[in-house]
Amino acid sequence: MTHLEPMGGSKSVLNGIYTSHGGRVTHYKYLNEAVIEKMKNRVLLRYKIGLPSVTFGKGRDVETVLGGTYKCLHGKKKKKTTGWSSGHICTQIRVDGNDFEVLVWNQRCLKCHTVRSAEIDEERYISQICSKLELMFGLRESIRNVNEKKDTPPHITELCEGCMAGICYKGVYV
């Protein structure tokens, strides 16, 4: 099982936000409880941290992307704030039986390269994770996304912890 440290301060512990993988991954326990609640009439799920990885495409690991914002305090007195948003937050879903785990890979600040966790778009998180779990459990067929691509800033591989771990599909092509 992966060792977990609460993310700085008691507020994070109360909100059910933890980090693992040396601070490179964030677990949003309170959002996964919402996923379980939303899926309860379709499949019995349990959230478990530390599930073994499965080779992509050959098991029950899938990747999706989430959106969110980041903030970083830096400088000598930690008074300068850098903020950025991302529409491509690498997210890995692992399933073992009815246990599931969601690993949200963190990003680094462009200015100081400190690893930061995102403030996640909660509605998108619940929707995306439920949708992927429905596919993984065979509760629905895949639907091709035909939405137009938004013009967004480039994905910076060196700042994405998912890319650094070889998980993020954006890192494969860079």
Side-chain angles (χ1 to χ4, degrees):
M1 182 156 288
T2 307
H3 173 72
L4 299 176
E5 317 84 47
M7 269 182 41
S10 61
K11 182 178 179 187
S12 297
V13 174
L14 292 175
N15 287 335
I17 301 173
Y18 300 93
T19 60
S20 67
H21 297 74
R24 299 171 70 191
V25 170
T26 300
H27 301 268
Y28 297 89
K29 183 179 180 206
Y30 72 103
L31 291 175
N32 294 313
E33 289 168 355
V35 167
I36 291 169
E37 181 65 25
K38 187 172 179 178
M39 298 282 292
K40 73 180 179 184
N41 292 330
R42 305 203 63 203
V43 65
L44 176 65
L45 293 171
R46 291 179 304 263
Y47 188 73
K48 185 174 180 181
I49 295 175
L51 291 179
S53 182
V54 179
T55 306
F56 283 103
K58 297 181 181 172
R60 303 211 16 155
D61 279 18
V62 297
E63 183 190 336
T64 189
V65 293
L66 298 171
T69 58
Y70 296 85
K71 287 183 183 168
C72 184
L73 295 172
H74 49 88
K76 287 185 180 179
K77 296 184 180 180
K78 301 278 185 198
K79 291 190 176 186
K80 293 182 180 179
T81 303
T82 299
W84 68 99
S85 62
S86 177
H88 186 97
I89 299 173
C90 178
T91 305
Q92 186 179 17
I93 304 168
R94 296 177 176 169
V95 172
D96 183 14
N98 283 32
D99 294 330
F100 78 104
E101 177 179 30
V102 181
L103 295 89
V104 181
W105 290 85
N106 296 327
Q107 293 183 6
R108 292 182 178 269
C109 174
L110 181 62
K111 302 259 187 214
C112 68
H113 292 275
T114 302
V115 176
R116 293 289 171 214
S117 296
E119 187 174 309
I120 293 291
D121 177 334
E122 295 178 4
E123 191 174 304
R124 183 175 174 188
Y125 182 101
I126 294 166
S127 173
Q128 286 283 102
I129 302 306
C130 285
S131 176
K132 292 294 183 178
L133 288 170
E134 286 172 346
L135 284 171
M136 293 173 84
F137 282 98
L139 299 174
R140 72 172 182 86
E141 295 292 318
S142 180
I143 302 169
R144 288 194 66 114
N145 188 354
V146 293
N147 294 339
E148 279 188 37
K149 273 200 148 196
K150 293 180 182 176
D151 189 24
T152 60
H155 186 72
I156 305 172
T157 302
E158 296 80 23
L159 302 179
C160 172
E161 290 297 311
C163 286
M164 303 300 261
I167 304 298
C168 182
Y169 73 85
K170 285 273 193 170
V172 173
Y173 304 108
V174 176

